[in-house]
Amino acid sequence: MAEELRSQQMYGLRVHELKLGATREEGGSRSKVFKIGNQAAMPFLFKEGEIPYAPIIAAEVYDVPDDDWPQSLAEDLKGVSKNPVDWAAMMAEDAGADLVCLKLQGIHPDFGDKNSKDAGSLATALLKRVKTPLIILGCGQGDKDNEVLPYVSEVTKGERLLFGCVVQENYKTLTAACIADGHNIIAESPIDVNIAKQLNILISDIGMPQDRIAINPTIGALGYGLEYAYSIMERARSAALSGDKMLAMPFICFVGQEAWRAKEARVSEAESPLWGNARERGVMWEAMTAIAMLQAGADILTMRHPKAIKIVKAAIAELMKR
Amino acid sequence: MFIIGELINGMYKKVAKAIAERDKIYIQSLAQLQVEAGADALDVNCGPLSRDPLVDMLWLIDCIQDTVSVSLSLDTTRQNIMEEGLARLKKKGIINSTSADTERLEVYLELAKKYNASLIALTMDKKGVPQDKDRRLELAASILDTAQKHNFSPNDIYLDPILLPINVAQNQLFAILEAIRDFKLLSAPSPKTIVGLSNISQGAKDRSLINRSFLTMAAAFGLDSAILDPLDEPLMDSLIAGENVLNKSIYCDNFVSAYKKSKKR
């Protein structure tokens, strides 16, 4: 065998271990909790170092229905997509998702302008209905997120959830809330390893422990810049394992939202007969994007289609065989 | 770069006084300050004035190990002190140092093996300090050859090309940089390289400026480790910037504080 294939790299540092969800004894109410990170090697290279936890999948659930869904999503999630609580329960119980990622799109001034109380009671209702931890995302509009998310953080205090996303220009309000309420935070950077590192420093400078930060490196779907995301993640992770604590955070990759934006996942068979069955195609687009992200080092994937989740769960089980 | 803090050395009057008076607080604060400033290990030398160097060395070791948990580099020429000191260490130690003379080298290789320590080996012998790069390489090769015969991994050898003062041997400094680069080619796995940085500015003006200029250049030639004053802030900052330039650490806007924070234990 060639020398370079035989050579193994041993590293000095591990990725921080992030805990998701708190049980009753720990001050929360989750009966399912997760640990992610803490690996001492690049993805799935078990001979090079310990990889204690498998990547997990969070089901993307929206507080308001999306009228613009492609056919396959619209059909396959038809029964539940108007009721986020049923939707979350179905994904966590039947579709095999490890946890639920609630996107509060409806608080956006242009998409419903719901208030803090609405968002808070939805989060509470979800926590009652599912056993898993939650990831809770704002709508992406800074001012509204700063108004709503701290409230949601407060009413879910002690559950050790994962809130996001904060960015370099707007991180203080939500970070402070998450520190106070015992939650974790997602730090988002625009496919830029320098900004990812900088944001982690800023967040930890105001008191957030390094093991309560997840990096959202921002990804593109298959065909839409996936390889850029891959190379950024690879670079960050290899720096982390070599000793850079400020990049040694687990990754969360928003696969569903990116994959289902791709033309290839959306266009119907009637419009593009050569591309074949639209339903299968969309599912595969999401699954392929997800599996590439696993190889890049993702610790949490957020995904949308139950069938794609099943495929990726099976792939994870296979990849985790030592 | 692996930084060994040089300040606990009896050559400094205050340290000599602290040793003589058993001033634990002074020594411990000097240890803590160096580690906080980024030292990965601390050099320990009880100095020429010590009346009982063995007792002083052991006192220093205990004193430092009580307050910080980094490796210690034992800096003494006396073999019995080295051995008793190594036996006292809680973490992997560093022997500072041996020359390339075979008799001496063999003794220290065995000592390093016995106590699982790293070994700093100076590329000089009885004939003195080399005057050119080739002689440095020759001595380095002979050190590595002896190490191999003793089954000692090059990973644990720090080759020191011996830095000479700029006002004494200016014409040799570039050859020393080249030696730092070429030492790495002498074995697989490569040996590590080290310099005692302050030597370069001995007796010169603007010492800190000279030290940091050389250090960043040496970093570019692949230097692995240096014994230096970690409390010299401009020096440490230059090194951090240098490691960014060399793509050894990932840039971010707060790169200096990021580096320091990342080093915190």
Side-chain angles (χ1 to χ4, degrees):
Chain A
M1 199 188 287
E3 197 58 39
E4 62 269 23
L5 293 180
R6 223 177 340 191
S7 78
Q8 289 179 8
Q9 177 89 38
M10 298 296 168
Y11 297 96
L13 190 71
R14 283 169 172 259
V15 175
H16 298 299
E17 178 175 285
L18 185 149
K19 294 190 184 108
L20 266 175
T23 59
R24 207 164 286 283
E25 298 79 58
E26 294 168 317
S29 66
R30 303 299 81 206
S31 48
K32 251 176 135 179
V33 295
F34 294 97
K35 288 176 184 169
I36 55 167
N38 199 16
Q39 56 271 56
M42 295 300 271
F44 311 112
L45 297 182
F46 298 105
K47 282 186 182 165
E48 296 198 341
E50 203 195 345
I51 301 173
Y53 309 121
I56 54 177
I57 300 179
E60 294 179 6
V61 168
Y62 283 67
D63 61 339
V64 287
D66 185 345
D67 301 329
D68 193 30
W69 267 1
Q71 186 200 353
S72 53
L73 279 178
E75 281 175 17
D76 295 337
L77 294 174
K78 201 160 151 195
V80 292
S81 63
K82 290 200 165 45
N83 182 334
V85 178
D86 291 345
W87 185 359
M90 190 275 273
M91 298 304 279
E93 285 155 19
D94 307 331
D98 298 300
L99 70 166
V100 173
C101 174
L102 173 65
K103 169 113 179 162
L104 296 169
Q105 187 65 27
I107 64 174
H108 195 288
D110 300 339
F111 300 106
D113 205 18
K114 295 188 176 195
N115 60 31
S116 302
K117 283 254 155 59
D118 299 330
S121 46
L122 176 57
T124 322
L126 242 66
L127 283 171
K128 269 211 183 103
R129 185 67 180 78
V130 300
K131 296 171 179 163
T132 73
L134 300 181
I135 298 168
I136 298 181
L137 305 177
C139 64
Q141 209 255 23
D143 291 341
K144 194 62 192 281
D145 283 350
N146 284 343
E147 180 192 320
V148 174
L149 292 178
Y151 176 79
V152 181
S153 161
E154 200 188 323
V155 300
T156 57
K157 182 171 180 155
E159 295 281 6
R160 206 185 275 146
L161 308 181
L162 177 57
F163 278 81
C165 296
V166 294
V167 292
Q168 196 178 4
E169 298 73 32
N170 179 21
Y171 65 92
K172 287 185 182 156
T173 308
L174 182 55
T175 304
C178 287
I179 294 171
D181 299 327
H183 298 303
N184 304 293
I185 198 140
I186 304 171
E188 174 184 313
S189 43
I191 320 191
D192 185 317
V193 71
N194 308 113
I195 294 177
K197 183 169 171 178
Q198 176 72 8
L199 182 55
N200 289 340
I201 290 167
L202 295 173
I203 294 171
S204 60
D205 275 350
I206 60 172
M208 178 59 94
Q210 290 169 27
D211 60 3
R212 279 165 58 191
I213 303 171
I215 297 175
N216 166 16
T218 310
I219 62 156
L222 178 61
Y224 295 83
L226 179 146
E227 55 276 45
Y228 292 106
Y230 187 107
S231 64
I232 291 295
M233 290 167 71
E234 185 183 43
R235 182 143 187 256
R237 182 57 56 81
S238 115
L241 295 173
S242 308
D244 193 337
K245 286 185 194 165
M246 285 301 151
L247 283 165
M249 289 74 178
F251 292 120
I252 178 168
C253 296
F254 294 105
V255 170
Q257 70 173 38
E258 293 305 318
W260 288 100
R261 240 172 28 195
K263 184 175 66 189
E264 291 81 351
R266 300 183 69 90
V267 170
S268 70
E269 193 172 351
E271 266 176 271
S272 192
L274 280 179
W275 284 6
N277 185 307
R279 208 156 161 178
E280 291 300 314
R281 193 181 344 115
V283 167
M284 286 317 288
W285 216 261
E286 182 175 24
M288 293 323 293
T289 303
I291 289 168
M293 287 302 114
L294 290 176
Q295 294 291 356
D299 297 278
I300 307 176
L301 302 166
T302 74
M303 296 184 64
R304 204 168 283 179
H305 199 289
K307 214 167 154 188
I309 291 176
K310 285 211 169 80
I311 294 171
V312 177
K313 285 290 279 187
I316 291 173
E318 193 61 35
L319 285 165
M320 287 301 289
K321 281 185 189 158
R322 288 145 221 239
Chain B
M1 191 178 288
F2 189 80
I3 302 296
I4 303 177
E6 70 181 2
L7 297 179
I8 301 179
N9 188 319
M11 282 199 318
Y12 298 108
K13 274 184 197 149
K14 280 186 180 169
V15 176
K17 189 163 167 263
I19 296 172
E21 293 170 3
R22 293 291 184 260
D23 183 352
K24 210 169 170 178
I25 291 167
Y26 182 79
I27 299 294
Q28 290 186 332
S29 74
L30 205 50
Q32 281 164 4
L33 282 172
Q34 292 186 91
V35 171
E36 275 161 27
D40 300 292
L42 297 177
D43 194 61
V44 188
N45 182 327
C46 47
L49 295 177
S50 171
R51 291 223 178 118
D52 190 344
L54 175 61
V55 175
D56 285 351
M57 179 60 99
L58 296 180
W59 177 77
L60 278 173
I61 291 173
D62 291 344
C63 185
I64 299 166
Q65 288 190 143
D66 275 352
T67 186
V68 293
S69 66
V70 297
S71 289
L72 300 184
S73 146
L74 305 186
D75 190 353
T76 170
T77 48
R78 304 246 304 256
Q79 196 188 316
N80 67 318
I81 301 181
M82 185 64 79
E83 175 143 19
E84 294 215 29
L86 288 169
R88 197 81 155 217
L89 295 181
K90 291 180 185 161
K91 287 219 152 184
K92 183 171 174 140
I94 303 162
I95 294 176
N96 186 10
S97 57
T98 174
S99 64
D101 294 309
T102 316
E103 324 78 80
R104 189 176 162 81
L105 178 59
E106 287 186 325
V107 169
Y108 278 97
L109 280 168
E110 285 308 313
L111 214 50
K113 266 170 75 176
K114 183 172 173 191
Y115 292 98
N116 183 33
S118 301
L119 177 61
I120 298 176
L122 311 175
T123 54
M124 64 178 282
D125 60 7
K126 285 196 186 99
K127 289 179 200 149
V129 176
Q131 298 300 310
D132 59 24
K133 186 181 98 181
D134 288 345
R135 179 70 185 142
R136 284 191 167 84
L137 282 168
E138 198 183 319
L139 289 169
S142 123
I143 290 167
L144 291 169
D145 188 45
T146 311
Q148 196 188 17
K149 281 180 193 145
H150 284 254
N151 225 351
F152 189 82
S153 168
N155 275 327
D156 276 327
I157 292 189
Y158 287 86
L159 290 175
D160 183 339
I162 308 186
L163 206 43
L164 296 166
I166 193 164
N167 58 4
V168 173
Q170 200 173 353
N171 61 347
Q172 280 208 50
L173 296 177
F174 189 71
I176 289 173
L177 289 171
E178 290 181 307
I180 288 169
R181 181 192 60 206
D182 295 350
F183 282 171
K184 303 294 276 187
L185 307 173
L186 293 175
S187 71
S190 292
K192 298 203 167 75
T193 51
I194 191 167
V195 295
L197 185 65
S198 312
N199 256 5
I200 194 177
S201 57
Q202 206 69 255
K205 292 274 178 217
D206 254 337
R207 295 194 60 180
S208 170
L209 177 59
I210 296 168
N211 291 348
R212 66 178 177 269
S213 303
F214 183 84
L215 187 66
T216 50
M217 293 168 85
F221 278 79
L223 183 70
D224 296 300
S225 178
I227 304 178
L228 51 73
D229 172 7
L231 304 190
D232 180 346
E233 218 175 314
L235 171 70
M236 295 300 280
D237 290 356
S238 295
L239 181 61
I240 293 166
E243 296 216 327
N244 268 265
V245 171
L246 294 169
N247 196 24
K248 285 193 173 166
S249 108
I250 289 181
Y251 172 82
C252 68
D253 288 348
N254 295 9
F255 66 92
V256 173
S257 70
Y259 189 93
K260 289 180 178 163
K261 224 171 168 171
S262 207
K263 270 212 162 182
K264 276 220 175 98
R265 272 154 255 265

